[in-house]
């Protein structure tokens, strides 16, 4: 019995990289999949219907069911059409994997307003808009006694969780996504909606464009097992998509065969005073307890 039989899923940014692997894994598990991808360049430039279409063909060739969507997930109205496409084509929606993303890396002092806005827009609004319309659908279904054991998987990053040089826009968006994930886990609980965040590390077009990524991920010889293939990460998404998966409000990091559940936030030091704090008292109480800033490589390796 396929573990995702009967489930209906949308994966955004599924024409390439991680999203493609997620869509293929969901399709292989028996889910019907809406493969969404704008087909833009790494920085969000241009559009191309080809990537989403070709992933649909791969899913169908393997015996699955898939349709393509070329909606821009960061456009509120287009995101509603994306959710409606799943409902109209397959009769409902159970799983939303928010994955689409772009990069506009720049040292913060040199970053333009346009670079800041573009990355916040695609990642943060591009997660919020489909989630909002899916939420409204799932709430209506739940109130009508047709709850769908819904699952949202959001995509965060070690660049936000730990920090990474040149990615202030991206890191800020990715931590915003963690906040979105946590709030939706709380708001969704009463409607049977789960919400989890995934921080992946995988070799894709995006890591190809990031300074230093090749050194961290290594380069396997042709035909050799690739520990950073996106397919490793997709298995976690397939589990999170299952109707009886218990996870919600969680933050995972997935790289190759290693999966970590991150405790966000964890209380590292708890200082309490009987009288109001002063800067001098804070200096004495906190100076020796500060958390080391570790950088994104700490999670990847
Ligand atoms: N690869 C990694 O190691 C890594 C690490 C941390 C986080 N991530 C995140 O994983 C996700 C997938 O990244 P990837 O590495 O597969 O990158 P990728 O560039 O291979 O794929 C991203 C896809 O998103 C699509 N897209 C961009 N803007 C869109 C929009 N507005 N609407 C619909 N589709 C859009 C692109 O066309 C592209 O096909 C991103 O959110 C990224 O930030 C990746």
């Amino acid at each position: 019995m396929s573990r995702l039989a009967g489930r209906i899923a949308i994966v955004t940014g599924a024409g390439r990289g991680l999203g493609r692997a997620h869509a293929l894994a969901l399709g292989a598990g028996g889910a019907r999949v809406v493969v969404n991808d704008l087909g833009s360049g790494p920085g969000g430039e241009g559009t191309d219907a080809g990537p989403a279409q070709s992933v649909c063909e791969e899913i169908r060739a393997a015996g699955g069911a898939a349709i393509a969507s070329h909606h821009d997930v960061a456009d509120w109205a287009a995101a509603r059409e994306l959710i409606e496409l799943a409902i109209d084509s397959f009769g409902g929606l159970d799983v939303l994997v928010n994955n689409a993303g772009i990069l506009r890396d720049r040292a913060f002092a040199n970053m333009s307003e346009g670079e800041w806005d573009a990355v916040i827009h695609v990642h943060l609004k591009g997660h919020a808009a489909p989630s909002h319309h899916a939420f409204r659908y799932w709430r209506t279904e739940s109130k009508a006694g047709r709850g769908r054991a819904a699952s949202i998987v959001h995509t965060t990053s070690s660049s936000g969780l730990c920090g990474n040089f040149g990615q202030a826009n991206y890191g800020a968006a990715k931590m915003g996504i963690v906040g979105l994930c946590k709030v939706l886990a709380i708001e969704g609980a009463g409607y049977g909606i789960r919400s989890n965040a995934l921080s992946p590390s995988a070799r894709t077009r995006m890591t190809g464009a990031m300074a230093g990524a090749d050194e961290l991920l290594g380069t396997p010889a042709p035909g050799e097992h690739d520990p950073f293939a996106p397919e490793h990460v997709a298995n976690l998404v397939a589990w999170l998509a299952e109707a009886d998966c218990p996870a919600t409000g969680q933050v995972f990091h997935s790289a190759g065969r290693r999966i970590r559940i991150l405790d966000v936030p964890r209380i590292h030091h708890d200082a309490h005073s009987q009288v109001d704090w002063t800067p001098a008292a804070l200096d004495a109480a906190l100076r020796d307890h500060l958390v080391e800033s570790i950088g994104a490589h700490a999670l990847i390796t």
Side-chain angles (χ1 to χ4, degrees), residues 46-94:
T47 57
D48 179 2
Q53 202 55 50
S54 93
V55 173
C56 282
E57 282 158 20
E58 280 187 84
I59 293 173
R60 290 191 204 115
I67 50 166
S69 139
H70 311 294
H71 297 99
D72 176 353
V73 291
D75 180 307
W76 207 258
R80 187 180 65 238
E81 289 172 14
L82 167 62
I83 302 303
E84 288 170 352
L85 178 67
I87 297 165
D88 294 346
S89 307
F90 291 137
L93 178 66
D94 305 296

Side-chain angles (χ1 to χ4, degrees), residues 18-297:
L18 282 154
R20 171 180 167 275
H22 300 338
L24 291 173
L26 294 171
R32 286 167 283 171
V33 187
V34 178
V35 177
N36 161 267
D37 203 297
L38 197 54
S40 58
E45 59 288 334
T47 57
D48 179 2
Q53 202 55 50
S54 93
V55 173
C56 282
E57 282 158 20
E58 280 187 84
I59 293 173
R60 290 191 204 115
I67 50 166
S69 139
H70 311 294
H71 297 99
D72 176 353
V73 291
D75 180 307
W76 207 258
R80 187 180 65 238
E81 289 172 14
L82 167 62
I83 302 303
E84 288 170 352
L85 178 67
I87 297 165
D88 294 346
S89 307
F90 291 137
L93 178 66
D94 305 296
V95 180
L96 171 64
V97 182
N98 289 316
N99 165 81
I102 63 168
L103 285 184
R104 299 268 176 101
D105 291 1
R106 188 88 60 201
F108 188 52
N110 297 330
M111 187 171 284
S112 69
E113 183 181 1
E115 287 163 341
W116 176 269
D117 285 348
V119 169
I120 299 289
H121 180 74
V122 171
H123 286 275
L124 197 46
K125 192 169 177 187
H127 270 58
S131 300
H132 170 76
H133 298 296
F135 236 73
R136 289 179 70 84
Y137 165 70
W138 286 324
R139 184 183 63 177
T140 302
E141 290 298 287
S142 173
K143 284 184 170 175
R146 299 186 299 264
R148 300 206 56 116
S151 171
I152 309 181
V153 182
H154 309 273
T155 308
T156 183
S157 171
S158 55
S159 298
L161 293 160
C162 308
N164 200 26
F165 190 93
Q167 297 196 311
N169 48 4
Y170 182 71
K174 288 306 198 186
M175 280 310 270
I177 286 167
V178 173
L180 176 70
C181 167
K182 295 270 185 186
V183 171
L184 298 195
I186 292 167
E187 290 198 15
Y191 304 117
I193 306 168
R194 294 180 297 104
S195 166
N196 293 286
L198 161 65
S199 163
S201 292
R203 191 186 318 281
T204 65
R205 173 179 82 166
M206 189 175 274
T207 50
M210 275 171 61
D214 279 350
E215 284 162 36
L216 278 173
L217 303 186
T219 313
E224 192 180 286
H225 169 76
D226 183 356
F228 288 102
E231 289 70 25
H232 292 294
V233 181
N235 288 309
L236 177 61
V237 170
W239 177 63
L240 292 170
E242 292 184 8
D244 67 352
C245 174
T248 193
Q250 307 292 310
V251 181
F252 298 92
H253 183 262
S254 170
R257 291 176 178 154
R258 187 165 200 176
I259 303 222
R260 293 163 167 132
I261 299 175
L262 306 177
D263 200 353
V264 185
R266 182 175 69 90
I267 296 168
H268 164 74
H269 180 68
D270 197 350
H272 182 77
S273 172
Q274 297 302 320
V275 296
D276 290 350
W277 287 102
T278 63
L282 285 168
D283 185 71
L286 303 184
R287 174 176 286 275
D288 293 334
H289 297 284
L290 301 177
V291 175
E292 188 188 353
S293 195
I294 55 176
H297 63 278

